[in-house]
Amino acid sequence: MSICDVRTARSLEEALVLTAEGWLPLAGGTDLVPRMKHGLLTGARVVIVRGLKELHGVHTTDTGLVVGACTTIADLCRSSACPPWLGGACAQIAGPRVRELATVGGALLQERRCRYYNRPVLWRTASGACLRTGGDRCLAGGDRCCATQRSLLSTVLVAVSASVVISRGAEERSVLLEDLYGPEAGAWRAGGIIRSVSISRMAEAEGKVAVEWIRRRASIDYHDLVVAGASRAGSPHEVSVTVGAAVPYPRRIVLPSPAPGGAIRSAATLIPSAQSGRLSPAYLRHAAVVLAGRVIARVAP
Amino acid sequence: MSSPPPPWPWTDPYVADLSLPGMVFAAMARSTHAHAALRSIDLAPALATPGVLAAVDGRAFPLMGGVIHSSRDEPVLAVDRVRYVGEPLAAVAAVSPEAAKAGAASVAAAFDPLPPVLTMRSVGLDVPLHEEHPDNVLRDVALEFGPVDESFASARAVFAGTYHYGASTHAALEPHGVVAWWRPEGRLWVWTSTQCPHLVQHGVARLMGLEPSAVRVITPRVGGGFGGKSEVFSHEVVAARLSMLLGRPVRLILSREEVFYTHRGRHEALIDLRLAVGAHDEILGLDADIILNGGAYAGMGLVTTYYAGQFLGIPYRVGAFRFRSRRVFTNAPPAGPKRGHGSVQIRFAVERLLDRAALSLGLNPLAWRMSLALKSDETTLNGLKIGSSGFTRCLEEIARMTAPLQCGEGEAIGVAGSAYISGAAFPIIPNRLPHSQAILRADRSGLFVLTVGVAEIGQGALETLRTLVAQTLGQPTDRVLAVAGDTDACPVDLGSYSSRVTLMAGNAVIAAAAAVRRQLLEAAGDRLAVAPESLDLVPNRVVVREDPGGKGMSLTRAIARAEERIGTVIGSGSYAPAVEPGPYPGGALGPSPAFSFTAAAAKVRFDPDLGAVEVTDIWIAHDCGRAVNLARVNAQLHGCALMGLGEALMEQAGLHRGIMDPVGMLDYGVPTARDLPRIHAVVVSAADPAGPLGAKEAGEGPLLPVVPAIANAVARAAGLDICAIPLSSEDLVRPSARETPLSGEAALR
Ligand SMILES: Cc1cc2nc3c(=O)[nH]c(=O)nc-3n(C[C@H](O)[C@H](O)[C@H](O)COP(=O)(O)OP(=O)(O)OC[C@H]3O[C@@H](n4cnc5c(N)ncnc54)[C@H](O)[C@@H]3O)c2cc1C
Ligand code: SF4
């Protein structure tokens, strides 16, 4: 696998020191290990964090739900504190065996995927290098890398304005997940350790979150497109649509009331014009509008 | 004994589980070019890699590989040209799998790229892959049966369509793998995951310059084949060569990526089809022009080329038909036999066109198919002798099961029919030798030990053969043990392909069992002073048929008495089909001792906004002749429904920018448990005199109508003409897919 070094962190402090030096945290390994096998992390150093107690657990607090970053998706589903809309969405991720390993933090920071990138060495050698592997062009046809984070959980959590507590070296901050995916937070995404995810109470009202997706198979396959709709329990006129899986990172659009039509159509414009997955941008844009209409119909007052 | 006997010790593990003293590990270097002249290859860096013990390239193998004598075109390792990405270039043996991989990665090859041939649509216009085939066509077959032009001229309606069937692969869970051991006594032992141990024995011997007697092939437990393990592969031969060089056992297990490059999957097909319907709704004529994408080498492609046309008409009576079938070379991994070999693509085209015709003519698609059905003992225009046909009953079962159903908004039901061979009547290498042989020995302990050459590949063939022996001897199945898949221990069998095992090996084992039965009854009759004909075998006893509670003896005593009389109690049986080839060139490709029949229906829910298809139900009624083992037949029907669903909606394995795509199980979409619709399987038994106790086949035929039944249902639900498989939401939702709107009432809706 061409990995230089693997260590198991004995404490969060040790993990933070190592990640500040460029070590990659490994939680469930369902995203990282396949990339190692594909020779995409040659020379990387890896610190295993999944055993750290501080990063586990699902608790309800006065303000909402707090989930430790190393909680597996299966444990989150099983937790009595997990609201049905979240449990239902998590049950759609991968398949049962992956969910037993995959963690919430790993789901939020899993690598952006691309049909030219997530491939074994021989295939990539035959197809040629792209911008991300040392080449000078994007094989998907983009003017920059348009690989997409195919994460249902990220999309749903951005939709409900979840925030994460993230540490980087000695620093710690709480940021909106949506902002963690923004251009300014790149260093935090690369060098930080997510400790927990917080979902405020507003999102817990059943029926105010709706998720629709496109996926080839009903299990295992990464989602091609996820569209989540959410409305605030306290202020029913604030309705948002979040598009994920077909975009580099999930993006949320707050819909103007009372005429959200144009904004629904703008969901399509989030989809990159280069094709890094199995479906064409044209189809994904069409589908994004269809799904946005459907989720809005379910959450709008 | 209540549980089945344990498997033969040698067949217990998979090949990747085998570990032998002194064993070393091999890996292959493969081409990263789709088409290129191989200027040079340098093994020195590989040999200098720590842990590497030996390396070979194409120069070690002077002969070409290939199943069919007339089309041996595939080097064991590339010599002067590479013809697809992933083609084996060299192989390295080392002390560990990691060292072998590192060695393989360091093999240095220099190439001069050539223009690749990436699509079969430009047939005849590209750079040739093989000098012997300047037009890139392996074989161009044209056959005509009956007055085709006249039938079209006199038709009341003519329908035409162009159909595309995408390539797919087998996706057997166990990857290919081999352990080869050149033994001190000068014999080669080869453990390999294969469907055809005797074929591998002869193929490896030929390519290694050995006598077949110097090669022993053993089939350990095999985790599925579906046709993908029925040739002699490079990895088998190079492991043998490396073992010979080192005098140590060599293990070479392909990675999943390498399995995709090895391929031999379903041929992509482009079919122009015309159908002439007569005044009484009969099929007056069929006319097909078929192009098959064969990939870089011939493999079994000659058979595919013929099958695609020869099975055009069945399961229907057709007034006249003709076909032109061409298999084209492209710079893709070689295509080959996959479940329903040669027939699945053409079935899709014919059943789609029939359905379109039914809609247009206002015919009920099920009732129309019933009126067209081939009946028992008919002979088709191209000389296929049908034997028993339960096709009408299959259609009746489908009608019975689907009649009460209502379809809601966006839902529809589609139907389709098919027939398939129960083994090819003629071997690939022409000869008059038995296709299957069996030896059965009665043991003093009361057990019967059956020795057969077939490979158990997870389909339950051995259980079925044991059941046939047990039924012939009147004993429970667990009294019969099977030793199989070892060319030293077992008599020759052509292998587990072409749906031939139940019928051919089945007839052989019944003959062997009948011989043992005769010996036992004669010995018992002698001792009891009763005519052997009046005796019968019942569990653990020999009894007088008319007086089962009276005179008799235990089975073990009967065996002992027989041993006293004749020595070892042993029976042998063999089988060669008593079938004549059609009296025309290629007439040996198509005939079978018996044909199975299937009817299928699928119910779908269609989302027009997204072009999304959900298959909610699949019904299969299959005539397998007599079901020797009902549970196994049902398992095959369910497996065929699953594979048909995958091919119709999810699975595709073709070139993307000149490279096999996908090359992993995550990207290749075999349906998961959550994708499965409700499957309603019914077995119809039209016992065939050619089959053992009337059995035909169930492993491949039931797949054939599943794909077109789904396509027909989608066509009806969406109001679209479906002309391409796999179905894609993108095509179904795009306005361009609506260019050919359907008319008429959906009769089943
Ligand atoms: C076969 C398969 C199918 C899948 N299908 C789906 C699907 O249908 N839908 C879907 O949404 N997802 C799907 N996934 C993705 C899956 O959800 C992620 O792989 C998983 O959640 C990642 O979690 P992990 O703990 O295994 O991450 P790891 O592999 O351990 O890590 C992933 C990345 O996150 C980083 N990381 C991990 N934990 C932390 C942390 N606490 N702080 C900072 N960085 C961290 C790692 O350094 C690494 O870069 C699938 C995955 C597989 C393997
Ligand atoms: S989107 Fe382009 S640059 Fe990014 S991984 Fe894919 S091919 Fe490479």
Side-chain angles (χ1 to χ4, degrees):
Chain A
M1 289 194 212
S2 314
I3 291 296
C4 284
D5 210 346
V6 179
R7 259 190 231 175
T8 302
R10 280 157 300 180
S11 67
L12 182 58
E13 291 67 36
E14 185 191 359
L16 285 168
V17 169
L18 291 173
T19 48
E21 290 169 9
W23 291 61
L24 291 172
L26 183 142
T30 60
D31 175 59
L32 206 62
V33 173
R35 280 192 279 141
M36 290 180 190
K37 285 189 172 173
H38 286 173
L40 290 162
L41 293 173
T42 309
R45 294 168 301 168
V46 166
V47 51
I48 299 171
V49 298
R50 71 164 156 252
L52 299 176
K53 278 196 309 294
E54 302 90 318
L55 304 183
H56 282 266
V58 185
H59 316 283
T60 37
T61 65
D62 293 346
T63 49
L65 187 72
V66 178
V67 183
C70 280
T71 307
T72 65
I73 292 178
D75 279 341
L76 175 59
C77 285
R78 281 190 286 260
S79 163
S80 57
C82 181
W85 60 265
L86 183 56
C90 287
Q92 296 301 329
I93 294 172
R97 288 190 62 189
V98 173
R99 290 198 295 271
E100 291 294 338
L101 285 172
T103 63
V104 170
L108 301 187
L109 283 187
Q110 63 182 281
E111 264 284 63
R112 295 184 300 134
R113 299 180 69 82
C114 171
R115 65 189 308 194
Y116 301 100
Y117 177 75
N118 297 96
R119 297 292 179 137
V121 175
L122 192 140
W123 200 97
R124 278 189 290 114
T125 311
S127 82
C130 71
L131 296 175
R132 215 157 155 210
T133 50
D136 56 7
R137 69 198 171 107
C138 167
L139 300 174
D143 48 10
R144 71 188 99 118
C145 179
C146 55
T148 58
Q149 197 202 44
R150 310 276 289 274
S151 173
L152 182 127
L153 191 61
S154 310
T155 314
V156 173
L157 292 182
V158 165
V160 299
S161 305
S163 57
V164 295
V165 174
I166 186 164
S167 297
R168 184 161 151 255
E171 274 185 87
E172 178 179 310
R173 44 163 92 162
S174 171
V175 284
L176 269 180
L177 184 58
E178 194 176 357
D179 293 340
L180 185 68
Y181 293 138
E184 293 84 41
W188 286 85
R189 282 200 304 273
I193 291 187
I194 297 182
R195 302 175 69 147
S196 62
V197 182
S198 301
I199 303 158
S200 70
R201 219 164 250 306
M202 77 87 197
E204 291 186 34
E206 181 75 57
K208 299 299 176 193
V209 183
V211 193
E212 298 264 348
W213 58 83
I214 306 271
R215 188 189 201 188
R216 182 182 48 178
R217 295 180 287 183
S219 179
I220 299 180
D221 279 345
Y222 282 87
H223 294 81
D224 299 300
L225 171 69
V226 180
V227 179
S231 67
R232 243 180 225 286
S235 53
H237 293 302
E238 190 187 310
V239 173
S240 69
V241 169
T242 306
V243 178
V247 290
Y249 288 109
R251 293 276 302 275
R252 196 167 77 101
I253 307 167
V254 178
L255 303 182
S257 175
I264 289 179
R265 275 188 291 282
S266 71
T269 62
L270 301 175
I271 312 266
S273 56
Q275 182 173 349
S276 65
R278 126 195 122 85
L279 295 172
S280 71
Y283 178 79
L284 288 169
R285 287 175 179 166
H286 165 82
V289 174
V290 172
L291 296 189
R294 288 181 185 177
V295 294
I296 294 301
R298 283 166 55 194
V299 300
Chain B
M1 263 187 274
S2 55
S3 57
W8 187 251
W10 300 331
T11 66
D12 199 12
Y14 294 101
V15 67
D17 301 325
L18 290 175
S19 182
L20 299 175
M23 188 169 83
V24 299
F25 304 87
M28 310 254 253
R30 292 175 182 271
S31 166
T32 51
H33 289 264
H35 198 187
L38 177 56
R39 209 173 342 116
S40 65
I41 186 158
D42 184 3
L43 299 177
L47 289 166
T49 305
V52 168
L53 302 169
V56 287
D57 60 26
R59 288 166 291 195
F61 304 97
L63 295 181
M64 290 294 224
V67 187
I68 299 173
H69 282 188
S70 61
S71 55
R72 282 184 175 148
D73 58 3
E74 189 168 358
V76 175
L77 296 171
V79 181
D80 50 8
R81 220 205 268 206
V82 288
R83 295 181 176 85
Y84 65 95
V85 170
E87 179 163 2
L89 277 179
V92 171
V95 292
S96 69
E98 292 74 24
K101 270 188 209 151
S106 68
V107 168
F111 300 95
D112 290 323
L114 294 166
V117 182
L118 302 181
T119 154
M120 61 179 178
R121 288 172 198 254
S122 52
V123 48
L125 302 176
D126 300 298
V127 181
L129 268 73
H130 301 271
E131 269 149 28
E132 320 79 86
H133 301 286
D135 55 357
N136 267 339
V137 176
L138 167 71
R139 190 62 70 94
D140 188 343
V141 179
L143 288 172
E144 180 159 347
F145 304 96
V148 177
D149 288 328
E150 290 84 329
S151 70
F152 275 85
S154 62
R156 106 163 138 112
V158 170
F159 299 87
T162 298
Y163 298 93
H164 179 250
Y165 201 100
S168 61
T169 197
H170 318 83
L173 281 187
E174 186 212 9
H176 302 58
V178 62
V179 172
W181 186 11
W182 179 252
R183 297 186 27 106
E185 74 269 21
R187 285 193 85 217
L188 180 68
W189 287 13
V190 179
W191 289 262
T192 184
S193 180
T194 181
Q195 298 176 229
C196 308
H198 285 93
L199 183 90
V200 174
Q201 178 196 20
H202 285 258
V204 169
R206 192 180 74 78
L207 292 164
M208 296 280 294
L210 299 170
E211 288 299 318
S213 59
V215 180
R216 174 188 189 184
V217 173
I218 304 156
T219 313
R221 185 167 290 220
V222 175
F226 307 108
K229 295 176 181 169
S230 42
E231 294 186 31
V232 183
F233 292 104
S234 296
H235 61 270
E236 293 165 328
V237 188
V238 299
R241 174 65 74 210
L242 289 166
S243 177
M244 209 180 222
L245 285 173
L246 296 169
R248 294 168 72 170
V250 174
R251 186 165 88 189
L252 203 174
I253 308 296
L254 298 194
S255 68
R256 183 58 67 181
E257 181 187 13
E258 290 178 296
V259 173
F260 276 91
Y261 297 133
T262 304
H263 193 47
R264 321 285 149 163
R266 175 108 50 237
H267 289 68
E268 178 193 13
L270 190 63
I271 301 162
D272 274 327
L273 184 66
R274 290 195 307 141
L275 160 73
V277 181
H280 307 288
D281 303 331
E282 74 277 30
I283 299 180
L284 284 183
L286 282 171
D287 183 3
D289 189 334
I290 304 154
I291 302 180
L292 300 165
N293 184 346
Y297 295 105
M300 291 214 192
L302 190 65
V303 179
T304 325
T305 316
Y306 275 95
Y307 276 9
Q310 290 283 64
F311 301 144
L312 189 61
I314 58 172
Y316 306 113
R317 205 171 300 124
V318 175
F321 77 95
R322 77 172 157 229
F323 66 87
R324 180 180 185 197
S325 180
R326 285 170 287 173
R327 185 180 185 272
V328 176
F329 290 110
T330 58
N331 290 111
K338 182 181 170 192
R339 202 179 204 174
H341 185 188
S343 203
V344 171
Q345 303 94 321
I346 194 74
R347 225 46 266 140
F348 164 67
V350 173
E351 297 297 319
R352 271 301 302 130
L353 198 55
L354 279 180
D355 225 57
R356 242 182 70 198
L359 275 177
S360 167
L361 299 172
L363 300 170
N364 177 303
L366 250 175
W368 190 33
R369 283 174 170 85
M370 270 185 224
S371 75
L372 302 171
L374 279 170
K375 302 284 189 307
S376 295
D377 300 325
E378 286 195 53
T379 300
T380 64
L381 286 175
N382 53 340
L384 307 181
K385 296 205 177 345
I386 289 307
S388 72
S389 164
F391 186 45
T392 305
R393 272 160 58 203
C394 291
L395 290 163
E396 285 166 356
E397 285 293 340
I398 294 295
R400 179 182 63 75
M401 292 188 284
T402 56
L405 297 171
Q406 299 291 318
C407 286
E409 182 66 27
E411 293 180 340
I413 294 174
V415 297
S418 67
Y420 200 64
I421 53 173
S422 305
F426 301 95
I428 291 166
I429 301 161
N431 65 66
R432 298 206 159 267
L433 300 170
H435 293 213
S436 283
Q437 301 176 72
I439 299 166
L440 183 70
R441 181 177 64 80
D443 190 85
R444 268 177 230 178
S445 64
L447 289 176
F448 297 89
V449 183
L450 174 67
T451 313
V452 280
V454 303
E456 169 62 63
I457 55 171
Q459 82 280 48
L462 293 185
E463 190 182 308
T464 298
L465 297 180
R466 287 170 45 229
T467 306
L468 286 169
V469 170
Q471 292 190 1
T472 309
L473 294 172
Q475 303 304 311
T477 304
D478 60 15
R479 286 266 144 198
V480 185
L481 304 182
V483 178
D486 178 343
T487 58
D488 271 9
C490 307
V492 173
D493 185 282
L494 297 188
S496 295
Y497 64 93
S498 204
S499 282
R500 57 177 296 286
V501 173
T502 298
L503 189 139
M504 298 197 182
N507 275 322
V509 304
I510 286 193
V516 167
R517 179 186 167 95
R518 205 166 43 245
Q519 291 165 24
L520 294 180
L521 295 187
E522 279 171 5
D526 199 21
R527 179 54 65 106
L528 297 169
V530 180
E533 306 78 59
S534 62
L535 293 175
D536 204 358
L537 279 164
V538 298
N540 296 319
R541 279 192 76 71
V542 179
V543 296
V544 178
R545 193 174 293 113
E546 302 301 327
D547 181 18
K551 260 200 214 175
M553 69 170 67
S554 70
L555 179 68
T556 44
R557 274 195 68 205
I559 294 171
R561 294 292 77 82
E563 283 194 29
E564 278 172 13
R565 268 182 107 224
I566 57 168
T568 310
V569 181
I570 197 158
S572 69
S574 64
Y575 176 80
V579 177
E580 289 303 315
Y584 50 88
L589 288 158
S592 173
F595 288 84
S596 73
F597 288 85
T598 318
K603 184 176 180 191
V604 303
R605 193 172 293 137
F606 180 66
D607 176 343
D609 294 331
L610 294 173
V613 173
E614 183 195 355
V615 179
T616 61
D617 295 85
I618 293 176
W619 294 266
I620 300 186
H622 179 68
D623 160 25
C624 63
R626 184 167 159 266
V628 177
N629 188 330
L630 195 57
R632 291 285 183 183
V633 172
N634 266 316
Q636 290 293 337
L637 302 193
H638 281 72
C640 283
L642 175 103
M643 194 175 259
L645 179 80
E647 287 196 22
L649 298 183
M650 300 161 189
E651 298 179 35
Q652 196 162 19
L655 291 182
H656 178 68
R657 300 187 181 167
I659 316 170
M660 185 63 162
D661 185 34
V663 291
M665 289 297 261
L666 179 59
D667 296 323
Y668 186 74
V670 176
T672 69
R674 271 169 91 172
D675 297 297
L676 275 192
R678 288 179 290 265
I679 297 171
H680 317 262
V682 170
V683 174
V684 167
S685 284
D688 197 291
L693 308 179
K696 298 194 283 192
E697 75 86 37
E700 298 188 77
L703 170 66
L704 269 49
V706 174
V707 178
I710 292 172
N712 287 341
V714 174
R716 286 163 185 270
L720 297 172
D721 191 8
I722 302 294
C723 298
I725 288 294
L727 296 165
S728 121
S729 300
E730 303 212 25
D731 291 341
L732 294 174
V733 81
R734 271 196 216 133
S736 58
R738 296 173 189 269
E739 273 164 12
T740 325
L742 292 183
S743 56
E745 264 304 295
L748 272 168
R749 255 181 107 160

